[in-house]
């Protein structure tokens, strides 16, 4: 990954974290506006709010892992064991969000769309992690080729 | 692995130290140590060629195949 791309991606992670923080603070107001706009019941509004707040935990966790991952890439250590663990955590964060949105979908069906996206993201991250694990093994073997 | 590296035996026969051999072969002492202790996963022909020249021996003097008994057999 080129240095410029790494820096840009790192900046994007920071921006996402700031947006997440901002929406976490403004979530009750945003939920109220959304519920009024879509004419949703207070119960659905509460479910959306709960689902959002529960999802922020794995979201921040995933952003932290991505930050650490990019830091290792900036240090030119992409095939570190730590990176495999971090990618694993990101995938589990996706599954956690999928689980929460599965529950929320029973109250507000469009949440299942988010669940689908999260499941797909989980799969992509796991496959990429598998590729990195293979690459790490090849690199370790090359390091032990005299 | 069934391939055993007898580099230390040859080094003792030729009375060559690790640092001397590393200088002659052109690889680091660390890498040579990895080879000597059997932790290496692979050896390049070029490296094997250099080691054989430095120790005046054949690859068979350095590498030995020992059949590992399989419990299933």
């Amino acid at each position: 990954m080129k240095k410029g791309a790494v820096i840009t991606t790192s900046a994007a992670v920071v921006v996402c974290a700031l947006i997440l923080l901002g929406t976490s603070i403004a979530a009750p107001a945003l939920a109220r506006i959304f519920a009024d706009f879509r004419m949703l019941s207070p119960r659905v509004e509460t479910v959306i709010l709960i689902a959002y707040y529960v999802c922020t935990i794995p979201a921040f966790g995933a952003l932290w892992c991505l930050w650490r991952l990019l830091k290792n890439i900036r240090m030119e250590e992409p095939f570190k064991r730590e990176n495999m663990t971090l990618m694993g955590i990101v995938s589990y964060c996706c599954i956690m969000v999928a689980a929460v949105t599965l529950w929320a979908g029973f109250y507000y069906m469009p949440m299942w769309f988010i669940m689908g996206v999260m499941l797909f993201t989980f799969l992509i991250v796991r496959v990429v992690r598998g590729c990195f694990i293979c690459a790490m093994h090849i690199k370790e073997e090359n390091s032990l080729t005299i | 692995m069934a391939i055993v590296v007898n580099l230390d035996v040859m080094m003792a026969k030729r009375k060559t130290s690790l640092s001397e051999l590393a200088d002659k072969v052109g690889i680091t002492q660390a890498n040579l140590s990895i080879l000597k202790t059997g932790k290496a996963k692979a050896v390049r022909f070029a490296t094997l060629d250099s080691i054989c020249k430095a120790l005046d021996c054949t690859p068979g003097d350095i590498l030995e195949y020992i059949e590992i008994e399989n419990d299933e057999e």
Side-chain angles (χ1 to χ4, degrees):
Chain A
M1 205 170 175
K2 290 184 179 177
K3 201 177 178 186
V6 176
I7 293 169
T8 310
T9 312
S10 302
V13 169
V14 172
V15 167
C16 282
L18 290 171
I19 291 170
L20 197 61
L21 188 64
T23 49
S24 297
I25 295 165
L30 289 170
R32 197 164 304 120
I33 293 167
F34 182 72
D36 290 343
F37 179 72
R38 299 282 294 176
M39 290 183 286
L40 302 172
S41 67
R43 190 183 182 193
V44 174
E45 182 188 334
T46 307
V47 166
I48 290 172
L49 203 54
I50 291 169
Y52 178 78
Y53 275 121
V54 172
C55 287
T56 51
I57 300 164
F60 274 118
L63 283 170
W64 172 245
C65 289
L66 290 174
W67 177 257
R68 291 273 300 272
L69 203 57
L70 287 165
K71 184 188 159 194
N72 286 334
I73 292 172
R74 279 199 303 274
M75 285 166 36
E76 294 182 3
E77 291 177 329
F79 303 120
K80 243 170 113 167
R81 285 198 182 271
E82 184 195 346
N83 293 348
M84 312 306 133
T85 310
L86 291 170
M87 274 193 258
I89 294 170
V90 169
S91 69
Y92 293 138
C93 290
C94 293
I95 274 293
M96 282 167 67
V97 172
V100 172
T101 48
L102 170 67
W103 162 77
F106 288 108
Y107 296 90
Y108 184 60
M109 217 186 292
M111 285 290 200
W112 284 338
F113 172 74
I114 299 172
M115 180 194 75
V117 169
M118 283 295 112
L119 283 174
F120 189 64
T121 309
F122 164 78
L123 278 172
I124 291 172
V125 172
R126 292 305 287 195
V127 168
V128 169
R129 180 176 175 266
C131 291
F132 265 75
I133 287 172
C134 277
M136 189 182 68
H137 285 142
I138 290 169
K139 182 183 170 284
E140 280 178 356
E141 199 157 297
N142 275 339
S143 300
L144 292 172
T145 297
I146 311 302
Chain B
M1 198 187 281
I3 304 286
V4 174
V5 179
N6 296 319
L7 188 63
D8 47 350
V9 172
M10 277 314 300
M11 283 169 61
K13 280 184 183 176
R14 300 288 185 258
K15 295 185 178 62
T16 306
S17 68
L18 194 73
S19 56
E20 283 175 19
L21 185 60
D23 285 337
K24 285 180 188 175
V25 172
I27 62 175
T28 61
Q29 283 188 50
N31 277 350
L32 202 57
S33 179
I34 287 170
L35 184 62
K36 194 165 83 88
T37 53
K39 289 177 186 164
K41 295 284 183 194
V43 181
R44 294 188 180 91
F45 283 136
T47 307
L48 193 57
D49 176 56
S50 301
I51 291 171
C52 290
K53 271 183 192 157
L55 294 175
D56 188 28
C57 64
T58 62
D61 296 327
I62 301 170
L63 303 173
E64 187 184 350
Y65 176 75
I66 294 175
E67 198 160 331
I68 297 169
E69 285 183 11
N70 194 336
D71 290 336
E72 289 176 357
E73 285 178 358

